[in-house]
Amino acid sequence: QIISILYDYYANRQVLAEIQEVYQESRDGEDSQEGGDMKGIRSSFTELLRINPDIVGWIEIPGTDISYPVLQAENNEFYLTRNYKKEKSRAGSIFMDYRNDVKDLKRNVILYGHRMKDDSMFGQLDKYLSEPFFRRHRIIYFDTLYESYDAEVFAVYKTTTDFYYIDTDFSSDEEYLSFVRRLLDRSVYKTDLAIGPDDPVLTLSTCDYTFPGGKGRLVIHARLKKKM
């Protein structure tokens, strides 16, 4: 069983290395290519979409090994146990909540990923529980098919699924800002970052094993801003 687990870790890293190379080459050549396609999709994602049309973005966190494609399915279960090739995988994929619209990112944009014991996927998000790391690595890079964003981290905390931090439907600006205040109140560390009603929040969600029953979660929130 141990050999099987170790092989899964190795195979997952090999598969991810393949697509990381594809993305890096595409991104390096993006400046020399003319725009994207007729649908407005950026040229850096052309090759990725040939591999899997479910790819909607790419996330990269400096100071960690997190540099992965972001998938999106019609539900939040499919990519829990499948890699970007749609093959069965213990590590699954980083994936966007099916309720989010990559063409129009509003309010709470949620990315999920497993917290693997070999530190792959969202396994290194726990670095944000260290205040020096939290202060030095506030910017997350999030590219989508259509835009490029800087996401500035403003909250990190552990919780359980009893706290509904994955809400995506807000009836008013006031309701949304009340939601943001609850996120700020829960954070282990405080910042003076202002979040307005038109500022989308990027939420990164992974498991936390300090809570019993599989209900524990480690959560990071960041303010999304389009790059100029």
Side-chain angles (χ1 to χ4, degrees):
Q1 187 177 14
I2 293 174
I3 292 174
S4 175
I5 292 172
L6 292 176
Y7 178 78
D8 284 349
Y9 288 156
Y10 169 78
N12 182 55
R13 288 185 176 275
Q14 293 297 108
V15 168
L16 289 170
E18 292 175 15
I19 200 164
Q20 287 166 346
E21 183 176 356
V22 171
Y23 179 65
Q24 187 60 52
E25 290 177 355
S26 298
R27 187 167 62 176
D28 289 346
E30 186 172 26
D31 292 339
S32 62
Q33 299 173 20
E34 291 187 8
D37 65 14
M38 294 298 291
K39 296 180 181 179
I41 294 174
R42 299 164 62 201
S43 59
S44 56
F45 283 92
T46 303
E47 293 300 319
L48 298 185
L49 292 174
R50 290 194 179 105
I51 295 170
N52 187 343
D54 288 346
I55 293 174
V56 295
W58 193 279
I59 184 171
E60 184 174 351
I61 303 181
T64 75
D65 294 329
I66 296 172
S67 180
Y68 301 129
V70 177
L71 286 293
Q72 188 179 40
E74 294 180 353
N75 57 61
N76 287 341
E77 286 76 44
F78 187 83
Y79 283 109
L80 274 174
T81 56
R82 292 175 177 84
N83 62 26
Y84 66 86
K85 293 183 176 182
K86 298 187 179 182
E87 301 166 338
K88 282 288 187 178
S89 168
R90 187 189 306 269
S93 296
I94 306 302
F95 62 94
M96 182 185 291
D97 195 293
Y98 75 96
R99 297 168 296 174
N100 292 135
D101 182 359
V102 70
K103 294 181 179 179
D104 187 19
L105 297 184
K106 291 182 178 178
R107 301 290 163 88
N108 194 15
V109 180
I110 309 160
L111 305 186
Y112 305 93
H114 288 306
R115 190 175 176 182
M116 301 303 292
K117 292 183 179 179
D118 69 343
D119 280 347
S120 64
M121 312 317 288
F122 275 170
Q124 292 185 326
L125 284 187
D126 59 359
K127 287 188 173 187
Y128 278 101
L129 295 171
S130 162
E131 186 168 11
F133 186 91
F134 177 86
R135 300 296 177 191
R136 289 198 301 264
H137 297 87
R138 295 275 302 281
I139 302 300
I140 293 171
Y141 303 123
F142 182 45
D143 283 349
T144 75
L145 299 178
Y146 305 98
E147 301 286 351
S148 185
Y149 297 86
D150 284 338
E152 187 170 357
V153 176
F154 65 84
V156 55
Y157 56 88
K158 295 180 180 181
T159 186
T160 67
T161 52
D162 295 331
F163 175 54
Y164 198 66
Y165 60 87
I166 59 170
D167 200 353
T168 60
D169 186 18
F170 303 93
S171 60
S172 65
D173 290 349
E174 182 177 325
E175 183 180 352
Y176 176 61
L177 292 177
S178 176
F179 171 77
V180 171
R181 285 193 293 271
R182 292 198 297 275
L183 307 182
L184 289 164
D185 289 342
R186 284 181 175 263
S187 183
V188 176
Y189 307 113
K190 307 302 178 184
T191 74
D192 57 1
L193 185 66
I195 313 292
D198 296 322
D199 291 325
V201 168
L202 178 67
T203 295
L204 309 183
S205 175
T206 192
C207 291
D208 182 80
Y209 302 113
T210 59
F211 293 91
K215 296 182 67 176
R217 297 292 184 269
L218 173 63
V219 188
I220 311 291
H221 298 289
R223 184 186 66 184
L224 278 173
K225 286 289 187 183
K226 289 181 184 179
K227 290 184 180 179
M228 302 302 291

